[in-house]
Amino acid sequence: MAGSNPDKLMTKADKLTQLSLTRWSADWKSATVLYEQAGNAFRVSKKYDKAKIAFEKASKGQEMLSSPWDAAKHMETAAALAKELGNWTEVADFYKKASELYNECGRSQPASDALAKAARALEDAAPEDAVQLYIDACVILEEDGREQMAFDLYRPATNVYIKLEKYADAATLLLRWGLAADSCKATNSQCKAYLSAIIVYLYAHDIKQAEKCYNDCSQIDAFLRSDQNRCASKLLSAYMEGDVEEIKRLAQSSTISNLDHMIIRIARKLPTGDVSGLKMDAIKDGEPLDEDDLT
């Protein structure tokens, strides 16, 4: 049927949104229906570029009709089509727009989910952008008092940082995860996040920062009394003793085996640098023994 030709539907819809001497106001209601029909027809025939444009316009139409929820849905569809086309800039832009529209509806979960979809799509093509999208998705949930829902977003964001070998950033994100866990009384997740941050510093062979991280986290009573704290303490002691076998044994412990896979993987590679000199450094940093003063 000629009327269902998607190109003709687009042309007809475009005319309905353009003002002229005979049309003084745009007919967005009729145009939006036509854009939606054209978008679905283009998608079925795998003309993804044209389908993407149609759903962009359908989203705009729903906005003009004061329906941000439907506008967000169409924008997500356009983002998924941009992903099929490998247009990563549009993937990010469209999912961000969808997130904004969901926020207009007061719906934090789908707003966060839209950013998370963008982040997952960009992990390989633009990993640093992906991390920021994951973090922004976390913020939306945390501002709505849904910190626990953000845990599944901190995990992939940390993993991306580790892949990029940005270990300080990964540790910082884990500490932030611990803070989010603390605010929703998820003590076990909090302690696991802190131990994970210490392990990341050890993997980067930044022993001083690992010690500082341990000391800072130990100011928190929940961590101080935890199995994760005891494991971290033993790990750091093994490093100070230059005891490679003990480090390897602790990396196989049940406490570390219960952490996230990405952390287990790097823990099993410890130590990553020479630890034999750490014991001598510790002796040098200490007070020399005065044999005349044994009191």
Side-chain angles (χ1 to χ4, degrees):
M1 194 170 77
S4 62
N5 179 305
D7 288 302
K8 289 183 178 179
L9 292 174
M10 291 292 288
T11 301
K12 186 177 179 182
D14 286 341
K15 285 180 180 177
L16 290 171
T17 64
Q18 293 164 1
L19 303 183
S20 67
L21 291 172
T22 57
R23 182 178 293 107
W24 291 8
S25 62
D27 184 358
W28 279 105
K29 187 173 182 180
S30 300
T32 299
V33 172
L34 295 173
Y35 285 136
E36 290 167 348
Q37 291 174 352
N40 286 323
F42 282 134
R43 186 166 53 173
V44 168
S45 60
K46 297 189 176 180
K47 294 178 180 177
Y48 296 136
D49 197 33
K50 288 186 174 183
K52 172 176 66 70
I53 293 167
F55 280 109
E56 273 188 88
K57 291 186 174 185
S59 178
K60 172 69 173 175
Q62 291 292 359
E63 270 197 273
M64 298 301 288
L65 296 169
S66 301
S67 182
W69 177 267
D70 291 320
K73 286 289 185 186
H74 288 327
M75 194 53 73
E76 281 204 84
T77 302
L81 291 162
K83 180 185 173 185
E84 288 288 338
L85 295 163
N87 190 330
W88 307 116
T89 300
E90 285 191 336
V91 170
D93 290 345
F94 292 169
Y95 275 125
K96 284 178 186 175
K97 177 64 176 175
S99 179
E100 290 169 10
L101 289 163
Y102 284 128
N103 264 329
E104 279 185 37
C105 305
R107 300 292 295 275
S108 63
Q109 188 66 61
S112 174
D113 288 346
L115 294 184
K117 287 175 187 175
R120 282 191 288 273
L122 292 175
E123 274 193 25
D124 292 328
E128 294 197 24
D129 291 339
V131 170
Q132 189 56 54
L133 285 161
Y134 278 129
I135 292 170
D136 291 344
C138 289
V139 169
I140 288 173
L141 294 172
E142 289 166 0
E143 287 181 348
D144 198 35
R146 299 159 71 93
E147 289 89 355
Q148 197 144 5
M149 301 299 291
F151 292 1
D152 286 337
L153 302 175
Y154 279 113
R155 188 173 292 110
T158 304
N159 201 23
V160 173
Y161 268 145
I162 290 173
K163 284 181 182 177
L164 290 172
E165 299 182 3
K166 293 196 165 190
Y167 302 120
D169 289 328
T172 299
L173 201 56
L174 285 162
L175 293 172
R176 180 171 172 171
W177 183 355
L179 194 62
D182 182 42
S183 65
C184 62
K185 304 293 186 284
T187 305
N188 190 47
S189 294
Q190 178 186 12
C191 294
K192 286 165 72 172
Y194 291 157
L195 173 58
S196 297
I198 293 162
I199 289 171
V200 168
Y201 280 126
L202 291 175
Y203 183 74
H205 207 63
D206 191 342
I207 315 303
K208 285 188 177 179
Q209 196 59 46
E211 286 184 303
K212 183 180 184 303
C213 184
Y214 171 78
N215 290 332
D216 288 346
C217 293
S218 294
Q219 301 300 310
I220 298 162
D221 191 51
F223 181 66
L224 184 63
R225 295 181 286 107
S226 69
D227 290 341
Q228 289 82 7
N229 178 282
R230 285 185 283 278
C231 180
S233 177
K234 288 176 182 176
L235 255 180
L236 288 167
S237 294
Y239 266 84
M240 289 303 103
E241 291 294 320
D243 191 338
V244 173
E245 290 308 311
E246 177 66 1
I247 293 167
K248 289 182 179 296
R249 189 189 68 78
L250 288 165
Q252 299 289 335
S253 67
S254 60
T255 304
I256 286 179
S257 295
N258 284 322
L259 300 177
D260 283 309
H261 179 69
M262 61 191 174
I263 303 299
I264 297 171
R265 192 171 65 247
I266 63 173
R268 299 277 160 83
K269 295 177 182 177
L270 296 177
T272 52
D274 182 20
V275 296
S276 60
L278 294 174
K279 186 172 184 178
M280 291 304 299
D281 289 342
I283 293 170
K284 285 177 188 175
D285 290 340
E287 286 293 320
L289 181 64
D290 184 350
E291 293 183 6
D292 294 329
D293 183 8
L294 300 176
T295 56

